[in-house]
Every structure is written in structure tokens, then in C-alpha cells.
Amino acid sequence: MASSSNQPAGSKQRAVIVGGGPAGALMALYLSQDRGFKVDLFEAFDENIIGGPTVRSWNVVLFDRGSDALKAGGVDLQKEAGERLLTLAGSLRHHKKEKTSKFFLDSLSICRGDFAKALLNKASKVPNVNVHFGCTFSKVDMEQRVATFERGNGDVVESEYDMLIGADGVNSRVRKELEENVPDFTVRQREDPMAFKTILIPIMNMEGADEGWKKRFHVTNSDIGCIIAPPRSDGMLTATVVLPSEGKTSFDALMKTTQDVRDFFGHYYPSAFGHEGPSEEVAKEFLERRTQQLRSTYCSRLAHGSIFLIGDAAHSMWASLGQGVNAALEDCQVFAQVLDSATEGKAVGQAVDVPKVLEAYNERRFEDAVAVCELSEEGMGGARSMRPAFAAQLLMTVLLNKTLGLLAPKVFTPPSLMAISGNKMSYGEILRGVKREATVTKALFVAGVVCAVAVVARKVVMRV
Ligand SMILES: Cc1cc2nc3c(=O)[nH]c(=O)nc-3n(C[C@H](O)[C@H](O)[C@H](O)COP(=O)(O)OP(=O)(O)OC[C@H]3O[C@@H](n4cnc5c(N)ncnc54)[C@H](O)[C@@H]3O)c2cc1C
């Protein structure tokens, strides 16, 4: 059995991070910056299969919320990722005729694997960070504060910690350990009723494509689902095809042969591959690809003792909002702020009271963790594009803002959901705003119905 404990007495406190995705890698960088920690990050995958198009190859979009968290963590993503990073020029909606919008303007598109790799590369160059690849977390002894990892060859590695961070994604093993061993730590998950499969679409082969399309986030709605597709720097769209997980219009029901796949794209999404659909080879690959479903995760809290959860491990969500990575990166920034305020005035290197800091983090971030999951279900999640009631609410809020908002701008504000890409409003504030707007919309609807009934009743009475 190997041990990664070589901490000399009186040296830095030890942070052990489980998972080298965006959340874990950025947290390593934050903790390494004069915050008094020696960091060991353990990632289940081997180094040579992280990044590139083979592992989890979808592109993620970073808004200001995520980008600012990176900058505050000392990451210049342009420098780290180079030409693999694309700055988007807005969105392009394919529906009968193409329509562009400024949404997604200046947001960043990057392959999730390349992104994690760029952050891990940077982290592994920092002297007080050790990155251990090919090590899968299996269990934790909370009393002794020892985390156990297994290597592919069966070797076991034990690592002592002062602070253990679960950044191991939606199926978090760290979270499972808390669930199994801490009586009042509970987890609730909700499956998205929509399922998805990914496919690559060569942009310049699309009908009517021009060079500008290579920098647009593409959205295509159909009667049965949608395709959302950020571009990759090599001129491909990394498209997510979304359909109901069950019923007559699910993937399984619609596509049993490669010809079905070709007919599906040709009929519902001709803008992607033309009316003939994709080639036989692409159709075969798509047919064989696993259908996936996302889950939202609600933990009863984010921390227990010296252990806490970040990113998808803490609050995985439905994909509709495009906030998973952004929220994960913001977790790291918020944690660093909480840690910094706890250590303010203390000498550098003086040990922090980890459980107290984690409790403070839970207090600060818990509402946001719940809110972002709820927003992902409330907004566009689960629906083909957007639920009619929610769309009506958004429209009403926009109308009120444009009319009565001129007289009372603080009351009739723009829809709160629009603030999701920036970081001026927390997820908690946005959710409260969305609920307030729903109440106003309902009240106006009821008032409208009452007025209409009153007018009709008056006419009837006058006639009598
Ligand atoms: C198709 C699709 C499109 C998306 N698009 C967007 C988008 O546009 N914008 C956005 O913000 N979000 C998007 N997301 C969500 C986003 O990908 C996730 O929210 C994000 O990757 C979460 O980061 P993370 O670091 O918390 O977890 P992960 O990215 O899941 O990383 C967890 C890491 O932990 C490792 N690990 C797991 N178990 C163990 C273990 N036992 N021991 C050691 N290591 C372990 C894994 O190998 C992995 O490297 C999208 C998701 C999907 C599926």
C-alpha cells in the first residue's frame, strides 16, 4: 500500500481533491495561491486520455460567471487553451429561416476535456500541487481523516487530509460516502425527462453556411425536440440532440436502423445534414452512441466536518441552462472568498479551522446550489424548448419592463433569468426574481380575467 502522506510537522495543511474536472482543477489552483495548503488532486482517468475528442468531448460554453471565476483564480484561458478556445459571436436559430441574436455574444466555447486538461496542466506546474492520475477514490475514514484510492493495477493509495473536497462529478463517490455514513446527510436526485445524444456536424456543409456560422451557438427547434450546438475550433458543431426519454418520440422509438437516423435528421433537422440526413457511417455511429439523461442533485448540505462538495458532485443539474461548468467554477471562487475572510488578519501559514470554514461556505453557497438546480428544471428543462407558461411569464416580464419599467425601473425590471450568464446576481437572487415575476404574471392574468368577466357581466345586466 502506497501513502501520499509526506507532510513534515508544522508545514501546510493538506487539501485532498477528488476529481480533476473543471471544479477540482480550478479549486487546486485557488488553494495553491498563498492560502496555506498543500494540495493533492486525484483523478480516476489516466493522464493520456484526459482531453481531446475521445473523452466527454462535448463543448461547454463559459459565460462571465465562469470566466470571471477563472480570472480570479489566476487562469488566462486564452493562454492555457490557445486556439482550442473560441469566442462566440452570438447565437443562430435555425427555424424556417435563420435568425441571429446577441445571446452568447463574447461567451467562450471549449471542449470539456481540453478545458480540464488545460487547468490540470497549469495546476501540475505549481510547486505545492501534486496531481495523481489513474487513482479512483473508493472510501474515506472520517475519524482518522484518510482517503483511500485505487489504481488500475490494484494498488491502493492512502492520503491523509485536513480538508477533503469531493469534485468527482454527478455520480460522486465522496457524496455517497457522506450519504452512507452521516445520518442527517441526505441526497435527492431528479431525472430530466429529456434525453440526449451527441453528434458532430461540419458547419460549412450546412445549407447556407458562411464563415460567421463557425462562431455562433446554433439552436434548432422541431416539433419533437431540439438541437443545441456550440462550435468547435476545427469547424465542427458539437451538437446535442434532445428528445423525450420515453414514448413515441424517444430515440429508441424513432431510430432502430441507420436509415431511421438519416430520415430523422432529414425530416426534423434538414439544416444539419440536408434532406438526405447524415452519411451511412455517421448514422451508424449515432445509432450506436449511448442515450444519456441528466439528473439534478439536491444535497441536504454541502459540507460535513472536514469534507465538502463542489461542482456536479454538489449540484448537478439539467443541461437546459448551460450553467454546470459556470456554477462549478463559481463554487471555487466563492470558497476562496470564504476562506480568505476566515484567515483575514492571520499570519500566512497559520492553520485554519477547516470545519468552521466549511460551515461558513455551506451557509454562503447552499441557497445558490439549490437555486441553480431548480432554475434548470423551472426554465427550459424537461420541455422541448420552453414551457408555454414559462415563455408567457418571460414575455410578460419583458413587456412590463419595456412599458411600465420606464416609469418604475426598479419594480418592472428585465427578466431575472437573463442575468444568469453574468455574475451580478447570485442564483438564489435570480430564482427569487423568477418567482416574483411568476406572481406578477399570475396576478395580471387573474386581474385580466376578472375585468373581462366584469365587462361581459355588465353587458348582460344592461341588456336585461
Ligand atoms: C452534453 C453536455 C453539454 C454541457 N454543456 C454545458 C455548457 O455549455 N455550459 C456549462 O456550464 N455546463 C455544461 N454542461 C455541464 C458540465 O459539463 C458539467 O457541469 C461540468 O463538467 C461539471 O464539472 P465538475 O468538475 O463538477 O465534474 P466533471 O466534469 O464530471 O468532473 C469530475 C471528474 O472527477 C473524476 N472522478 C469521478 N469519480 C472519481 C473517483 N471516484 N475518483 C477520482 N476521480 C473521479 C472524473 O473522471 C472527472 O474527471 C454540459 C453537460 C453535458 C452533458
Side-chain angles (χ1 to χ4, degrees), residues 42 61-62 109 247 252 265 331 424 431:
F42 293 86
V61 175
L62 296 173
S109 173
D252 286 349
F265 280 99
D331 286 347
K424 304 270 181 293
L431 182 63

PDB file of all heavy atoms in Angstrom, residues 42 61-62 109 247 252 265 331 424 431:
ATOM      1  N   PHE A  42      -6.558  13.888  -6.991  1.00  0.00           N
ATOM      2  CA  PHE A  42      -6.608  12.518  -7.520  1.00  0.00           C
ATOM      3  C   PHE A  42      -7.675  12.436  -8.605  1.00  0.00           C
ATOM      4  O   PHE A  42      -8.836  12.776  -8.364  1.00  0.00           O
ATOM      5  CB  PHE A  42      -6.944  11.529  -6.403  1.00  0.00           C
ATOM      6  CG  PHE A  42      -5.859  11.418  -5.362  1.00  0.00           C
ATOM      7  CD1 PHE A  42      -5.815  12.303  -4.291  1.00  0.00           C
ATOM      8  CD2 PHE A  42      -4.882  10.441  -5.464  1.00  0.00           C
ATOM      9  CE1 PHE A  42      -4.818  12.210  -3.331  1.00  0.00           C
ATOM     10  CE2 PHE A  42      -3.876  10.338  -4.503  1.00  0.00           C
ATOM     11  CZ  PHE A  42      -3.842  11.226  -3.438  1.00  0.00           C
ATOM     12  N   VAL A  61     -19.971  25.951 -22.780  1.00  0.00           N
ATOM     13  CA  VAL A  61     -19.930  27.393 -23.003  1.00  0.00           C
ATOM     14  C   VAL A  61     -19.720  28.091 -21.661  1.00  0.00           C
ATOM     15  O   VAL A  61     -20.424  27.817 -20.688  1.00  0.00           O
ATOM     16  CB  VAL A  61     -21.235  27.883 -23.665  1.00  0.00           C
ATOM     17  CG1 VAL A  61     -21.239  29.395 -23.787  1.00  0.00           C
ATOM     18  CG2 VAL A  61     -21.374  27.249 -25.045  1.00  0.00           C
ATOM     19  N   LEU A  62     -18.726  28.945 -21.633  1.00  0.00           N
ATOM     20  CA  LEU A  62     -18.426  29.702 -20.417  1.00  0.00           C
ATOM     21  C   LEU A  62     -18.951  31.117 -20.565  1.00  0.00           C
ATOM     22  O   LEU A  62     -18.621  31.812 -21.527  1.00  0.00           O
ATOM     23  CB  LEU A  62     -16.919  29.765 -20.184  1.00  0.00           C
ATOM     24  CG  LEU A  62     -16.218  28.435 -19.921  1.00  0.00           C
ATOM     25  CD1 LEU A  62     -14.716  28.643 -19.891  1.00  0.00           C
ATOM     26  CD2 LEU A  62     -16.697  27.856 -18.612  1.00  0.00           C
ATOM     27  N   SER A 109     -16.378  29.031 -25.989  1.00  0.00           N
ATOM     28  CA  SER A 109     -16.720  27.631 -26.237  1.00  0.00           C
ATOM     29  C   SER A 109     -15.434  26.805 -26.241  1.00  0.00           C
ATOM     30  O   SER A 109     -14.470  27.146 -26.926  1.00  0.00           O
ATOM     31  CB  SER A 109     -17.425  27.525 -27.598  1.00  0.00           C
ATOM     32  OG  SER A 109     -17.624  26.177 -27.953  1.00  0.00           O
ATOM     33  N   GLY A 247     -41.562   7.227 -24.729  1.00  0.00           N
ATOM     34  CA  GLY A 247     -42.718   7.486 -25.595  1.00  0.00           C
ATOM     35  C   GLY A 247     -42.397   7.400 -27.077  1.00  0.00           C
ATOM     36  O   GLY A 247     -41.296   7.009 -27.475  1.00  0.00           O
ATOM     37  N   ASP A 252     -35.164   5.621 -28.917  1.00  0.00           N
ATOM     38  CA  ASP A 252     -35.370   4.194 -29.190  1.00  0.00           C
ATOM     39  C   ASP A 252     -36.566   3.960 -30.102  1.00  0.00           C
ATOM     40  O   ASP A 252     -36.535   3.105 -30.982  1.00  0.00           O
ATOM     41  CB  ASP A 252     -35.579   3.426 -27.873  1.00  0.00           C
ATOM     42  CG  ASP A 252     -34.272   3.292 -27.126  1.00  0.00           C
ATOM     43  OD1 ASP A 252     -33.227   3.598 -27.743  1.00  0.00           O
ATOM     44  OD2 ASP A 252     -34.294   2.913 -25.943  1.00  0.00           O
ATOM     45  N   PHE A 265     -32.943  12.962 -39.190  1.00  0.00           N
ATOM     46  CA  PHE A 265     -32.269  14.253 -39.392  1.00  0.00           C
ATOM     47  C   PHE A 265     -32.805  14.958 -40.636  1.00  0.00           C
ATOM     48  O   PHE A 265     -33.017  16.172 -40.640  1.00  0.00           O
ATOM     49  CB  PHE A 265     -30.748  14.063 -39.484  1.00  0.00           C
ATOM     50  CG  PHE A 265     -30.100  13.914 -38.133  1.00  0.00           C
ATOM     51  CD1 PHE A 265     -29.773  12.663 -37.637  1.00  0.00           C
ATOM     52  CD2 PHE A 265     -29.841  15.025 -37.345  1.00  0.00           C
ATOM     53  CE1 PHE A 265     -29.192  12.518 -36.380  1.00  0.00           C
ATOM     54  CE2 PHE A 265     -29.266  14.895 -36.090  1.00  0.00           C
ATOM     55  CZ  PHE A 265     -28.938  13.637 -35.610  1.00  0.00           C
ATOM     56  N   ASP A 331     -18.234  28.053  -7.644  1.00  0.00           N
ATOM     57  CA  ASP A 331     -18.062  27.426  -6.321  1.00  0.00           C
ATOM     58  C   ASP A 331     -16.653  27.692  -5.795  1.00  0.00           C
ATOM     59  O   ASP A 331     -16.459  28.021  -4.622  1.00  0.00           O
ATOM     60  CB  ASP A 331     -18.214  25.892  -6.413  1.00  0.00           C
ATOM     61  CG  ASP A 331     -19.652  25.436  -6.602  1.00  0.00           C
ATOM     62  OD1 ASP A 331     -20.571  26.254  -6.429  1.00  0.00           O
ATOM     63  OD2 ASP A 331     -19.846  24.248  -6.924  1.00  0.00           O
ATOM     64  N   LYS A 424     -23.605  39.264 -11.622  1.00  0.00           N
ATOM     65  CA  LYS A 424     -24.060  40.367 -10.761  1.00  0.00           C
ATOM     66  C   LYS A 424     -25.117  39.873  -9.778  1.00  0.00           C
ATOM     67  O   LYS A 424     -25.261  40.397  -8.694  1.00  0.00           O
ATOM     68  CB  LYS A 424     -24.659  41.497 -11.616  1.00  0.00           C
ATOM     69  CG  LYS A 424     -23.720  42.035 -12.682  1.00  0.00           C
ATOM     70  CD  LYS A 424     -22.873  43.181 -12.153  1.00  0.00           C
ATOM     71  CE  LYS A 424     -21.941  43.752 -13.193  1.00  0.00           C
ATOM     72  NZ  LYS A 424     -20.866  42.859 -13.626  1.00  0.00           N
ATOM     73  N   LEU A 431     -33.472  33.108  -8.744  1.00  0.00           N
ATOM     74  CA  LEU A 431     -34.655  32.261  -8.528  1.00  0.00           C
ATOM     75  C   LEU A 431     -35.761  33.048  -7.829  1.00  0.00           C
ATOM     76  O   LEU A 431     -36.935  32.953  -8.201  1.00  0.00           O
ATOM     77  CB  LEU A 431     -34.290  31.014  -7.712  1.00  0.00           C
ATOM     78  CG  LEU A 431     -35.449  30.045  -7.485  1.00  0.00           C
ATOM     79  CD1 LEU A 431     -35.960  29.477  -8.812  1.00  0.00           C
ATOM     80  CD2 LEU A 431     -35.050  28.901  -6.561  1.00  0.00           C
TER      81      LEU A 431
END
